[in-house]
């Protein structure tokens, strides 16, 4: 949008702190190559358009906005004379995208000194060559440093995740190995017991009935109900008494296995009715091996399913086999992250999932969202651990207008008000030396704000800290997403 041209006075622009040290010749050049424009209330430039001008406010009020989904969110408002915005990186040339990284509006008639981007680049390099080189080094050096330490941050997170995943995989794997060894032993004893039964002069019909009971027993094991400790204890006592009354050896050892399989006294009575009293002990022993093998196979099945589930969670977390940008269900991402971090969270922190399952899937970069969830969960765990290690982590999802909310709430000590505004700054950390780089929240902020056009903020009080991520339900073309940290600029 063009403003109303007005005369440019070297004396007036020399009164701005940005130009107060310039010579008369330099001020004259600025006025000859630049101009003064008066803008009525409304837009001055729009985010994403080519950055053609550098603006310095002479008088009035400016407001800067960032695009979040379909909305423009105000990020700065000021009436301070001399603030500047616009093509602030023109001196970097084509090494960075020369587009406006925000939108600027004025709320009252406002005058600017306007300098074309080409002229701003030229005067910077001619008048302040050393400063231009220093600023270039600072800009690109900061980006390289953030990239390198960001990779370090990812490696630290990967190490933590690998340790947790190894621990989680070890438990079901060890259980499967133990169950397999025990199963081999039980099958061997079952073959021996079957040989003992087959070597006797038993009625074929009785053996057929016993085999039928064996089949029904296997079905009962698969449908075993879950009993309370008191119910299980009472049933064990009843079964042990029945076995003792029928001269079954080691009834105290067999009874818990039968109870775990969902068997009761009525089932034993059916067995007793199907076979002769002299082979009842052998029949019960054989059926005990049947029950044990079924329970062991269930344990192996549970363990291998657990391993498969962990592998699927690792694939979901890493998104190795997925497109980098696609429509995703955030609940799947949250679940995979919580599972991957379960070892680090530990048993002393209760995880509460308060999900709104009616929320739609959203277009996003899932691997990078998982990185955000990892950073926020890691911070919550650190906060709870600092108070003794016991507390609650609540992960909540909800809909707020046309955006999706993901909230991480912990019961830690809270963030002191004097540092709350700094927690998203690069390299700022409250963790001990060696435990944090200070880039976790900075990376998270840039992923959410710059890449997903969302917002990330924190509300904190002792015992109630909430990091809230708002993501648009629809998103622009990912090619237009800006992921450069300089996109966060404000008028200065």
């Amino acid at each position: 949008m063009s403003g109303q041209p007005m005369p440019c006075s070297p004396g007036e622009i020399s009164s701005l702190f940005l130009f107060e040290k310039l010579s008369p010749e330099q001020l004259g050049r600025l006025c000859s190559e630049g101009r003064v424009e008066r803008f009525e209330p409304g837009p001055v430039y729009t985010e994403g358009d080519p950055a053609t001008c550098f603006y310095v406010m002479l008088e009035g009020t400016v407001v800067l906005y960032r695009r979040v989904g379909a909305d423009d969110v105000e990020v700065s408002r000021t009436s301070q004379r001399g603030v500047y915005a616009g093509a602030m990186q023109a001196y970097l040339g084509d090494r960075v995208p020369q587009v406006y990284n925000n939108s600027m509006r004025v709320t009252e008639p406002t005058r600017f000194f306007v300098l074309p981007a080409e002229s701003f680049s030229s005067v910077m390099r001619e008048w302040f060559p050393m400063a231009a080189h220093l600023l270039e080094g600072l800009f690109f050096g900061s980006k390289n440093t953030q990239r390198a330490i960001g990779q370090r941050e990812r490696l630290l997170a990967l190490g933590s995740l690998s340790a947790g995943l190894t621990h989680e995989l070890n438990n079901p794997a060890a259980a499967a190995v133990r169950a397999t060894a025990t199963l081999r032993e039980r099958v061997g004893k079952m073959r021996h017991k079957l040989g003992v039964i087959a070597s006797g002069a038993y009625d074929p019909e009785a053996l057929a009935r016993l085999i039928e009971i064996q089949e029904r027993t296997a079905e009962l094991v698969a449908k075993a109900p879950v009993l309370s400790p008191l119910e299980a204890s009472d049933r064990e006592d009843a079964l042990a008494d029945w076995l003792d009354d029928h001269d079954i050896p080691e009834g105290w050892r067999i009874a818990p296995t039968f109870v775990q399989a969902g068997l009761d006294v009525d089932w034993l009575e059916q067995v007793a009715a199907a076979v002769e009293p002299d082979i009842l002990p052998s029949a019960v022993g054989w059926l005990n091996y049947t029950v044990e093998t079924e329970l062991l196979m269930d344990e192996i099945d549970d363990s291998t399913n657990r391993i498969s589930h962990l592998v699927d969670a690792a694939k979901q977390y890493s998104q190795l086999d997925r497109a980098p940008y696609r429509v995703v269900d955030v609940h799947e991402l949250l679940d995979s992250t919580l599972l991957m971090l379960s070892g680090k969270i530990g048993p002393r922190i209760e995880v509460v999932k308060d999900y709104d399952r009616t929320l739609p899937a959203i277009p996003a970069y899932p691997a990078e969202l998982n990185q955000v969830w990892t950073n926020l969960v890691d911070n919550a765990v650190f906060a709870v651990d600092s108070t003794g290690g016991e507390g609650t982590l609540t992960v909540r999802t909800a809909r707020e207008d046309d955006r999706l909310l993901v909230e991480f709430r912990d019961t830690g000590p809270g963030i002191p008000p004097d540092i709350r505004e700094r927690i998203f700054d690069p390299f700022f950390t409250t963790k001990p030396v060696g435990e944090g780089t200070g880039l976790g929240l900075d990376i998270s902020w840039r992923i959410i704000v710059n890449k997903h056009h969302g917002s990330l903020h924190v509300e904190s009080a002792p015992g109630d800290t909430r990091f809230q991520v708002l993501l648009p339900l629809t998103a622009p073309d990912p090619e237009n997403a800006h992921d450069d940290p300089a996109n966060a600029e404000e008028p200065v």
Side-chain angles (χ1 to χ4, degrees):
M1 176 179 175
S2 298
Q4 176 186 355
M6 304 187 71
C8 177
S9 166
E12 182 180 30
I13 64 172
S14 69
S15 65
L16 303 175
F17 64 84
L18 197 62
F19 304 133
E20 61 185 359
K21 300 296 184 180
L22 298 183
S23 67
E25 292 77 11
Q26 291 172 324
L27 294 171
R29 178 178 173 181
L30 288 181
C31 269
S32 64
E33 296 187 14
R35 59 192 183 273
V36 172
E37 292 187 18
R38 183 177 186 273
F39 289 82
E40 297 299 323
V44 177
Y45 62 74
T46 302
E47 179 179 350
D49 287 349
T52 58
C53 295
F54 177 68
Y55 295 85
V56 185
M57 190 177 73
L58 295 168
E59 61 178 353
T61 301
V62 298
V63 184
L64 289 190
Y65 298 85
R66 292 295 309 277
R67 177 58 58 91
V68 178
D71 300 324
D72 286 327
V73 178
E74 180 178 328
V75 295
S76 180
R77 180 184 294 257
T78 182
S79 298
Q80 180 181 351
R81 191 169 182 270
V83 296
Y84 52 91
M88 293 168 53
Q89 296 166 2
Y91 66 94
L92 295 173
D94 58 6
R95 284 175 290 177
V96 297
Q98 293 296 335
V99 297
Y100 292 120
N101 295 316
N102 47 43
S103 298
M104 184 165 72
R105 299 175 63 89
V106 296
T107 58
E108 60 177 313
T110 301
R111 289 191 307 124
F112 291 96
F113 171 70
V114 183
L115 188 64
E118 296 81 1
S119 297
F120 176 60
S121 177
S122 297
V123 299
M124 279 289 294
R125 294 190 171 280
E126 292 178 23
W127 297 348
F128 315 107
M130 183 176 177
H133 286 302
L134 288 173
L135 287 172
E136 285 182 15
L138 178 63
F139 179 83
F140 290 110
S142 175
K143 287 187 66 176
N144 292 336
T145 301
Q146 287 181 329
R147 185 179 299 110
I149 298 185
Q151 292 172 347
R152 167 73 172 171
E153 184 90 8
R154 295 183 181 94
L155 287 173
L156 290 173
L158 179 61
S160 177
L161 288 171
S162 299
L165 181 60
T166 301
H167 174 76
E168 291 296 318
L169 286 170
N170 183 65
N171 290 334
V177 170
R178 290 193 301 269
T180 302
T182 306
L183 178 62
R184 181 176 290 110
E185 177 188 350
R186 294 295 184 272
V187 170
K189 290 182 177 181
M190 190 175 181
R191 289 196 301 266
H192 173 73
K193 186 68 69 175
L194 179 60
V196 172
I197 293 175
S199 65
Y202 301 126
D203 181 4
E205 292 184 2
L207 288 177
R209 289 195 298 270
L210 188 58
I211 292 173
E212 181 185 355
I213 292 174
Q214 182 189 36
E215 293 296 327
R216 287 193 281 113
T217 300
E219 294 177 2
L220 289 173
V221 174
K223 302 175 182 178
V226 178
L227 303 177
S228 69
L230 182 59
E231 290 173 330
S233 178
D234 290 343
R235 185 174 290 190
E236 285 179 16
D237 292 340
L239 286 173
D241 291 342
W242 190 95
L243 294 168
D244 290 341
D245 292 342
H246 290 76
D247 298 324
I248 307 297
E250 296 187 321
W252 58 271
R253 184 183 64 81
I254 297 175
T257 303
F258 284 173
V259 170
Q260 184 181 356
L263 307 179
D264 54 18
V265 171
D266 291 340
W267 174 81
L268 287 173
E269 291 289 353
Q270 295 176 30
V271 176
V275 299
E276 298 299 326
D278 58 331
I279 69 167
L280 180 60
S282 294
V284 171
W286 184 43
L287 292 173
N288 177 54
Y289 291 140
T290 298
V291 170
E292 287 186 332
T293 56
E294 289 295 325
L295 292 175
L296 288 168
M297 285 189 288
D298 285 345
E299 184 176 349
I300 293 171
D301 183 63
D302 289 342
S303 298
T304 51
N305 282 335
R306 172 71 173 163
I307 292 172
S308 178
H309 185 50
L310 285 167
V311 172
D312 286 343
K315 289 173 63 179
Q316 170 72 16
Y317 178 84
S318 64
Q319 298 289 315
L320 289 177
D321 59 345
R322 310 292 180 87
Y325 184 82
R326 62 188 182 87
V327 175
V328 295
D329 182 349
V330 294
H331 302 111
E332 293 180 359
L333 305 182
L334 291 168
D335 285 341
S336 66
T337 300
L338 290 171
L339 181 57
M340 293 291 290
L341 293 174
S342 58
K344 185 167 190 175
I345 295 172
R348 300 176 66 186
I349 299 178
E350 179 186 5
V351 177
V352 177
K353 298 179 182 179
D354 182 11
Y355 292 168
D356 179 359
R357 294 287 186 178
T358 65
L359 291 171
I362 62 171
Y365 295 86
E368 298 192 27
L369 286 184
N370 279 338
Q371 185 180 358
V372 174
W373 311 152
T374 299
N375 292 336
L376 297 181
V377 170
D378 181 73
N379 283 349
V381 171
F382 177 80
V384 174
D385 283 343
S386 68
T387 61
E390 292 187 354
T392 302
L393 168 63
T394 302
V395 183
R396 182 172 72 95
T397 62
R399 181 168 186 158
E400 290 197 0
D401 299 324
D402 61 344
R403 294 190 289 177
L404 185 149
L405 168 70
V406 181
E407 180 183 81
F408 296 82
R409 177 183 180 186
D410 68 71
T411 56
I415 304 172
D418 58 326
I419 67 170
R420 200 169 298 162
E421 298 299 323
R422 302 175 57 199
I423 61 172
F424 295 109
D425 292 348
F427 310 111
F428 178 79
T429 181
T430 59
K431 295 180 180 178
V433 175
E435 292 191 23
T437 62
L439 279 179
L441 289 178
D442 171 57
I443 290 172
S444 299
W445 191 91
R446 286 189 284 121
I447 289 173
I448 296 299
V449 176
N450 293 336
K451 200 144 193 178
H452 289 86
H453 294 263
S455 65
L456 171 61
H457 65 278
V458 63
E459 298 176 357
S460 184
D464 185 8
T465 296
R466 307 182 187 197
F467 280 89
Q468 297 178 327
V469 175
L470 284 169
L471 296 167
L473 296 176
T474 58
D477 185 339
E479 296 299 324
N480 294 330
H482 304 303
D483 57 1
D484 191 287
N487 290 341
E489 68 184 34
E490 297 183 359
V492 290

